[in-house]
Amino acid sequence: STMLLLLQVLASCLWLGHSEVVTSFESSCPQFFFRETPPNEAIEPENPVWICQRYKNQYYFATLYDRDRRIPVYSAYIYHPGPGKRPKTWLVEPQLMGLTYPKTMEREWTLLNHFNVSLEQLSESQAVLQDYKNLTGLNRGHLNPSGHHGDSSSRTATFTLTNIVPQDAKLNGGAWNNYEQQTMIRRTQGCNTTYVVVGAVPGNNYIAKGRVNKPSFLWSSACCEVDTNHRKAWAVIAENDKNEVQLLTLGELEDVLTHLYRSSQVSLFDSDCPRE
């Protein structure tokens, strides 16, 4: 019977290695975090799910998702900007309905038409396209932006609704876009590898009849390896109803988030990233 137990444990481990929804980032897709260290528990929601974002049999980034508010807490990725077309197709995460569903992101249409899934079942587990229809003054705002990726598969992978929040339209197209495009290019000069964690602080308002939270703030933080002995870090935060972005040190952002989440001290990166 011990043998049987071992087999069961082994089987479940193998299964986890293949699945999207994982028990921890450290064990499944640590490569998206500097020194393989994800943010600490201080910003974890009550009902979290860890997603190694998988598309076409490969992991492209990591997202901590809040099942209750139906928005990501943060997405983590490595910055590899490149030219290319912006994808058009939005994807959803079948695994959030249960582990018997496809382990890779799919189109809503495919799930409804080929996997015998009802829209009700899907929308119970996550935000769906319908939730983001007819928004006024808000966009589908990417945490991990498609423009920070160099090939079409990784860009397509960012178009999952688990990587999206209701974002102020002016901010999304204005100061936030400016940060993603221009500031990042300037700041990453001389960097070998740049690790990014982008997040959203939940707010008191909801869209889609109370289904999907509208974050109060959006933030982004980066830690770059200049060479083996040198690293630099920076961060930004933006209120989700104004078109302005505030540039901060990593330490300042962590302190602000600690305050906003009313939590113990927030740590977004391994201690080797400079805080000041």
Side-chain angles (χ1 to χ4, degrees), residues 88-103:
K88 292 203 170 49
T89 310
W90 290 93
L91 303 162
V92 289
E93 225 46 87
Q95 291 255 307
L96 294 186
M97 293 181 292
L99 295 176
T100 53
Y101 291 96
K103 299 177 198 59

Side-chain angles (χ1 to χ4, degrees), residues 47 49 65-71 92-98 101 108 112 117-131 162 210-212:
N47 201 353
V49 58
Y65 191 72
D66 183 336
R67 283 182 183 272
D68 296 333
R69 296 184 180 94
R70 298 190 179 88
I71 54 168
V92 289
E93 225 46 87
Q95 291 255 307
L96 294 186
M97 293 181 292
Y101 291 96
E108 213 172 274
L112 302 182
V117 169
S118 70
L119 188 55
E120 193 180 5
Q121 199 183 355
L122 182 63
S123 59
E124 196 44 49
S125 68
Q126 60 200 284
V128 292
L129 286 167
Q130 186 58 43
D131 294 326
T162 54
R211 280 176 42 80
V212 177

Side-chain angles (χ1 to χ4, degrees), residues 139-156:
N139 286 160
R140 293 180 278 211
H142 285 72
L143 291 194
N144 175 359
S146 68
H148 284 185
H149 301 277
D151 66 275
S152 78
S153 289
S154 54
R155 280 198 296 271
T156 301

Side-chain angles (χ1 to χ4, degrees), residues 127-188:
V128 292
L129 286 167
Q130 186 58 43
D131 294 326
Y132 284 93
K133 289 263 158 55
N134 315 324
L135 292 180
T136 318
L138 293 169
N139 286 160
R140 293 180 278 211
H142 285 72
L143 291 194
N144 175 359
S146 68
H148 284 185
H149 301 277
D151 66 275
S152 78
S153 289
S154 54
R155 280 198 296 271
T156 301
T158 65
F159 272 70
T160 161
L161 291 183
T162 54
N163 178 46
I164 301 296
V165 298
Q167 183 176 11
D168 183 271
K170 286 193 181 71
L171 173 65
N172 191 20
W176 192 258
N177 185 53
N178 199 25
Y179 170 71
E180 287 178 345
Q181 306 293 333
Q182 281 130 17
T183 313
M184 277 298 280
I185 289 173
R186 274 202 310 278
R187 288 262 160 171
T188 52

Side-chain angles (χ1 to χ4, degrees), residues 1 10 13 29 55-56 81 92 106 108 115 117 129 146 148 150 157 191 195 210 230 235 240 247 253 267 276:
S1 69
L10 189 67
C13 291
C29 53
Y55 178 69
K56 290 192 173 163
V92 289
E106 289 281 359
E108 213 172 274
F115 288 94
V117 169
L129 286 167
S146 68
H148 284 185
C191 293
Y195 295 87
H230 299 93
N240 196 17
L247 196 57
L253 176 63
S267 170
E276 56 289 316

